[in-house]
């Protein structure tokens, strides 16, 4: 069983920055494909960014140039650096890992962008 725990959320002003972290345990982290998703009240969950086991990255259009996904396999950690934050980035952010054809999800961390 893979377990994921997000951290780093909080309240930030528009234009500010946050770094989210996802800590994994229970399996072979270096072989996971990893993603960040987010969900706001009344909206469906949205894919934000992904990083493969080989380190390839991709982003949804709305965060390109502002967010950076990365991983540190030895620490079993994944990160999302969020810059130039906008009110529309407000959401619960979720870490997801895919291993052995199964998706594993964290419980989420809340990011609120407001002045």
């Amino acid at each position: 069983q893979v377990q994921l725990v997000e951290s780093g959320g909080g309240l930030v002003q528009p234009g500010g920055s946050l770094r989210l972290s996802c800590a994994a345990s229970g399996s072979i982290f270096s072989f996971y494909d990893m993603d960040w998703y987010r969900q706001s009240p009344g909206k469906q969950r949205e894919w934000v960014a992904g990083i493969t086991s080989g380190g390839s990255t991709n982003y949804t259009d709305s965060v390109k140039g502002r967010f950076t996904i990365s991983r540190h396999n030895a620490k079993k950690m994944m990160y999302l650096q969020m810059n130039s934050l906008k009110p529309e980035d407000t959401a619960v952010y979720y870490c997801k890992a895919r291993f052995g054809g199964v998706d594993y999800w964290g419980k989420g961390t809340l990011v609120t962008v407001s002045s």
Side-chain angles (χ1 to χ4, degrees), residues 13-16 38 62 66-67 83-90 93 111-114:
Q13 293 184 333
R38 65 187 180 187
S62 64
R66 300 189 297 121
F67 291 9
N83 299 327
S84 302
L85 284 162
K86 304 174 181 179
E88 51 263 46
D89 295 318
T90 296
Y93 284 72
V111 173
T112 302
V113 184
S114 177

Side-chain angles (χ1 to χ4, degrees), residues 28-84:
I28 308 170
F29 182 82
S30 62
F31 294 158
Y32 300 171
D33 289 341
M34 304 286 291
D35 296 271
W36 287 100
Y37 286 74
R38 65 187 180 187
Q39 187 168 26
S40 299
K43 293 185 176 181
Q44 66 180 8
R45 190 167 295 187
E46 174 191 23
W47 175 80
V48 176
I51 184 165
T52 69
S53 60
S56 297
T57 62
N58 205 358
Y59 304 87
T60 192
D61 286 343
S62 64
V63 308
K64 287 181 179 178
R66 300 189 297 121
F67 291 9
T68 303
I69 188 172
S70 62
R71 65 194 295 162
H72 194 297
N73 289 339
K75 294 182 177 181
K76 296 185 177 182
M77 297 287 290
M78 181 181 65
Y79 308 98
L80 186 68
Q81 178 66 46
M82 309 165 67
N83 299 327
S84 302

